Amino acid sequence: QQYLKDCFALARRKAPCLIFFDDIDVFFETIAEYDEDAPYHHALVAQLLIELDALAHIPGVIVIAATNRPDRLTKDVLKPGRFDYALTLPMPDQAARKKVLQIHAQKLPLSADIDFDQIATSVQGMSSAEIANLCNRVGLMALRKSMGRPSDVGTMPVVTPELFTQALRGRKT
């Protein structure tokens, strides 16, 4: 709570200034999920709302927040004057998923039979960040696989379509 007060006080002193909250939904997630901590978190959210309201009269301080869980935000924080504009980014379509895969897989040692169109179809419903994470996991899986057998030690790891399939099977939904 004090951290929020200090953050906003510093922003008011240093205006023009931008405050950015990444994953602002975390403030609100805890209220719903942990009743024993609710008084503390209610106070934290109340302080956030007080600070946002106070900024209405302070020129030069802009607050931006990001979330991938807008369903967790309360209507209080979305009240006009607190966050006046909401930009919703849709999940990537087939072409965008393919491009994200290609970007994040470009440094991986890919086998010749990688089909980005097929993989992009299999990752439907995943965000760009989740697709990037998938590529990282597949790269690590290839590295572990190349280190797993004594006969493979020193060989270059290779990312195969099967590794993507395994990584997708093991993904938490």
Side-chain angles (χ1 to χ4, degrees):
Q1 197 172 342
Q2 188 60 46
Y3 175 77
L4 274 176
K5 287 180 185 179
D6 293 345
C7 177
F8 279 87
L10 179 63
R12 286 188 293 271
R13 283 194 313 273
K14 299 289 186 176
C17 179
L18 179 112
I19 299 173
F20 177 70
F21 289 100
D22 191 15
D23 293 325
I24 195 168
D25 55 281
V26 171
F27 283 103
F28 303 92
E29 162 188 272
T30 311
I31 290 173
E33 293 182 6
Y34 303 104
D35 289 339
E36 68 273 4
D37 292 336
Y40 168 75
H41 290 288
H42 280 295
L44 190 62
V45 170
Q47 187 63 47
L48 175 64
L49 299 178
I50 288 167
E51 297 294 347
L52 290 171
D53 288 342
L55 288 181
H57 308 293
I58 309 290
V61 179
I62 296 172
V63 181
I64 297 174
T67 181
N68 59 0
R69 293 296 309 268
D71 56 302
R72 290 189 175 167
L73 302 180
T74 65
K75 61 184 176 190
D76 295 331
V77 78
L78 300 174
K79 183 179 123 182
R82 292 181 176 152
F83 289 101
D84 292 328
Y85 184 74
L87 174 65
T88 303
L89 299 176
M91 295 298 269
D93 62 10
Q94 176 75 12
R97 291 190 306 271
K98 180 180 176 181
K99 187 66 177 171
V100 170
L101 281 163
Q102 290 171 328
I103 289 169
H104 289 284
Q106 68 186 359
K107 292 184 181 178
L108 296 175
L110 301 173
S111 67
D113 58 344
I114 293 288
D115 181 355
F116 285 111
D117 288 311
Q118 190 276 326
I119 298 169
T121 299
S122 65
V123 298
Q124 183 173 359
M126 291 176 70
S127 70
S128 297
E130 290 170 320
I131 294 169
N133 181 269
L134 174 70
C135 290
N136 290 337
R137 281 187 302 161
V138 168
L140 288 173
M141 289 169 68
L143 182 61
R144 278 191 217 109
K145 187 175 178 182
S146 72
M147 295 170 54
R149 293 180 294 217
S151 61
D152 291 340
V153 172
T155 62
M156 182 69 165
V158 177
V159 173
T160 63
E162 293 77 24
L163 288 179
F164 275 99
T165 302
Q166 287 175 16
L168 285 167
R169 244 187 274 128
R171 151 178 113 102
K172 295 177 184 174
T173 55

